[in-house]
Amino acid sequence: MRHLPTEPLAVSALPTPTSREAYEAAHAALLVKEKAHSRAGDAIAAERRRQPMVEIPGSVTVVGAKGEVPFLDAFEGRRMLVGYFHMWHDGEPAEGQCIGCTYFASQVQGPLAHLHARDVTLAYFCEGAYDESRKYADFMGYTAPWYSARDSGDGLLAGRDFGWLGCFVRDDQDRVYETYWTTDRGNEAGFWSYSLLDRTVFGRQEAWEDSPAGWPKIPAGQHQWRVDSRPLAQWDVTDEPAA
């Protein structure tokens, strides 16, 4: 795995050392704020669960390993579906595919037992044609179900570009509804690495972060999800997808 380059680390780029007692006191004060943040997130999640939903027409189809199938089939018999709508660049090699979508998909994979135990299926719906994009999913080692939504139309996409995360539910008559969607920083819900990085002393090391002077930063012009012309996750992959 390649490392992202960062600007030189200042000699003083570490927190001030202190006693265990002073450290625990500062940590306790921070924990009060963290708990308040968690409770605020719980309240937002409760509101999210209560927002209205919109029906997806039964005529909507996607293309998967079994060919063109109703969107309902992507639920795999479960009550709920979380779908990530993966951007695609026709004809581009692996290193030319969407770095943000690759960043998401490379982290949200199997085993998916904790989602399945709560009656949730995770699937990917790609902007590309199935035969071409499936090779990329295989190249990356993705195990979650993969479909093409290229021709699914406004009944599913509703005028949105790809690169978004959506949640769906089916009722007892197998009618399907969209209950939530998000994009841009909302997709960070799937970035487990960000959750861990946010708890480290240097954070995400991105220019926008509020960090003390001298903390390491990714240089201007260097993308946080790409190094040496390839998405980060591809540096663990050695073979190009088959032609």
Side-chain angles (χ1 to χ4, degrees):
M1 173 60 72
R2 300 295 179 94
H3 294 283
L4 284 171
T6 57
E7 296 172 351
L9 181 67
V11 175
S12 60
L14 285 171
T16 303
T18 190
S19 65
R20 168 61 68 172
E21 291 75 13
Y23 165 78
E24 293 294 352
H27 183 68
L30 177 64
L31 187 59
V32 171
K33 298 177 182 178
E34 287 186 334
K35 288 183 176 180
H37 178 75
S38 294
R39 288 191 291 269
D42 292 342
I44 292 172
E47 182 176 352
R48 186 182 300 125
R49 289 191 293 271
R50 289 166 172 80
Q51 75 171 7
M53 60 187 183
V54 61
E55 186 169 5
I56 302 298
S59 59
V60 168
T61 62
V62 292
V63 178
K66 298 180 180 179
E68 186 176 9
V69 297
F71 183 60
L72 175 67
D73 283 19
F75 282 70
E76 297 187 338
R78 298 185 179 92
R79 177 68 74 176
M80 291 168 287
L81 170 69
V82 174
Y84 183 78
F85 288 75
H86 196 295
M87 295 176 67
W88 187 256
H89 305 303
D90 288 342
E92 290 292 326
E95 61 267 28
Q97 294 305 329
C98 177
I99 50 178
C101 294
T102 298
Y103 192 78
F104 183 100
S106 63
Q107 295 183 77
V108 188
Q109 283 297 317
L112 301 173
H114 295 292
L115 291 177
H116 295 169
R118 288 164 174 80
D119 221 7
V120 177
T121 292
L122 171 70
Y124 291 90
F125 300 94
C126 189
E127 183 180 13
Y130 180 77
D131 288 343
E132 181 182 7
S133 65
R134 176 73 254 186
K135 293 175 184 177
Y136 183 69
D138 291 341
F139 167 63
M140 293 301 300
Y142 298 159
T143 56
W146 186 273
Y147 299 90
S148 170
R150 186 185 191 98
D151 299 316
S152 295
D154 275 350
L156 180 60
L157 301 175
R160 292 167 289 197
D161 292 329
F162 284 73
W164 54 279
L165 178 69
C167 297
F168 306 86
V169 67
R170 64 182 180 89
D171 66 13
D172 291 336
Q173 287 74 48
D174 282 339
R175 292 192 298 264
V176 173
Y177 301 86
E178 181 181 320
T179 62
Y180 176 76
W181 77 281
T182 188
T183 191
D184 297 327
R185 289 200 66 183
N187 289 336
E188 290 182 10
F191 298 169
W192 62 261
S193 61
Y194 273 2
S195 182
L196 295 181
L197 286 169
D198 285 344
R199 285 155 177 79
T200 67
V201 67
F202 296 141
R204 303 182 191 185
Q205 302 170 41
E206 296 177 21
W208 62 268
E209 285 183 292
D210 181 5
S211 296
W215 256 232
K217 294 287 186 182
I218 299 169
Q222 168 64 57
H223 200 285
Q224 69 267 32
W225 298 334
R226 183 190 293 275
V227 64
D228 293 343
S229 81
R230 298 190 76 100
L232 281 169
Q234 290 184 8
W235 285 109
D236 279 347
V237 181
T238 57
D239 298 318
E240 286 293 325

